[in-house]
Amino acid sequence: MSEEQPKKKPGFQFNIIKNDPLDGHRGQNFGSISLENIAPVYINIDTQEAILDIGGLHGKAEVEKRVKWIKDKEEAMGPDAKEYFLVWIAVERAEAGPIYNGAGACYMMVNKEKRRGYKMMHEHVNSLDDAMKGRIKLNILDDKSKETLKEFLINHNEEMWNISQDMRAAFDK
């Protein structure tokens, strides 16, 4: 007689799709996440260079390529380690036009020589969630990095910056 293994219950599954997950069909794609209006901005903490790399939506940004992600920061440290803030930026349409609607920031360290990277995945997911829900959480950023992000957003689209009252207010704190 063989012992039967209890079947695992399937966890909540979702799809990342390009357009409105509920567009037209209210019963389909329930549990889908649209990343259409989200952009990952990487800030190099040492050089204060900010770059937008859409590959970051799927963990394939240039900064993140060719490293094994670990939970022990010590393993990624070394003379070649680079520290970054990843800031998720959400854009929404308001009456006045598109605005920067949400932002969530998190930390990561990458050492390409060791091929190791440190990040706490739950922090990255929570930061993305904050941005998607229109919250602005930038408290992890130091003053220089906050100024770098502000300049990046202004240079990216000054008109959008000017009508993004909540985002501008977050930088005035």
Side-chain angles (χ1 to χ4, degrees):
M1 255 186 164
S2 66
E3 291 184 33
E4 288 187 32
Q5 295 287 331
K7 292 183 180 179
K8 289 185 178 181
K9 291 184 181 179
F12 180 76
Q13 296 182 359
F14 61 88
N15 298 319
I16 297 174
I17 60 175
K18 185 170 170 71
N19 295 315
D20 183 3
L22 300 176
D23 186 27
H25 302 285
R26 293 290 177 208
Q28 291 181 292
N29 292 328
F30 178 74
S32 298
I33 295 175
S34 174
L35 297 178
E36 183 81 357
N37 300 326
I38 299 287
V41 177
Y42 294 85
I43 300 172
N44 182 314
I45 296 173
D46 289 333
T47 65
Q48 287 301 301
E49 178 187 11
I51 57 165
L52 185 143
D53 190 337
I54 292 298
L57 289 172
H58 301 287
K60 296 181 180 182
E62 191 56 41
V63 167
E64 299 181 84
K65 284 183 181 176
R66 296 174 294 282
V67 296
K68 178 180 178 184
W69 295 104
I70 53 172
K71 293 180 183 176
D72 182 9
K73 189 175 179 179
E74 297 289 324
E75 213 176 308
M77 289 180 155
D80 298 310
K82 294 182 181 177
E83 296 178 293
Y84 295 89
F85 287 119
L86 168 55
V87 184
W88 299 101
I89 302 292
V91 176
E92 292 292 329
R93 182 159 296 284
E95 278 186 42
I99 61 169
Y100 296 118
N101 186 55
C106 47
Y107 171 84
M108 63 194 300
M109 177 187 287
V110 177
N111 191 326
K112 295 277 186 165
E113 279 298 311
K114 287 184 171 182
R115 300 179 82 153
R116 295 289 181 263
Y118 164 82
K119 68 179 175 181
M120 298 304 291
M121 196 60 178
H122 67 278
E123 290 175 359
H124 287 247
V125 170
N126 291 339
S127 296
L128 173 60
D129 185 57
D130 286 334
M132 289 172 56
K133 291 180 177 172
R135 295 184 278 235
I136 300 171
K137 293 193 176 178
L138 302 173
N139 52 333
I140 192 172
L141 299 180
D142 57 50
D143 290 339
K144 288 187 344 184
S145 297
K146 210 171 185 182
E147 188 61 32
T148 298
L149 179 62
K150 178 180 176 179
E151 289 174 19
F152 177 85
L153 295 174
I154 292 169
N155 291 335
H156 180 72
N157 189 324
E158 190 170 358
E159 184 179 331
M160 197 180 334
W161 172 260
N162 289 334
I163 61 174
S164 302
Q165 294 175 354
D166 291 342
M167 186 67 76
R168 287 180 28 217
F171 283 88
D172 292 336
K173 291 179 183 176

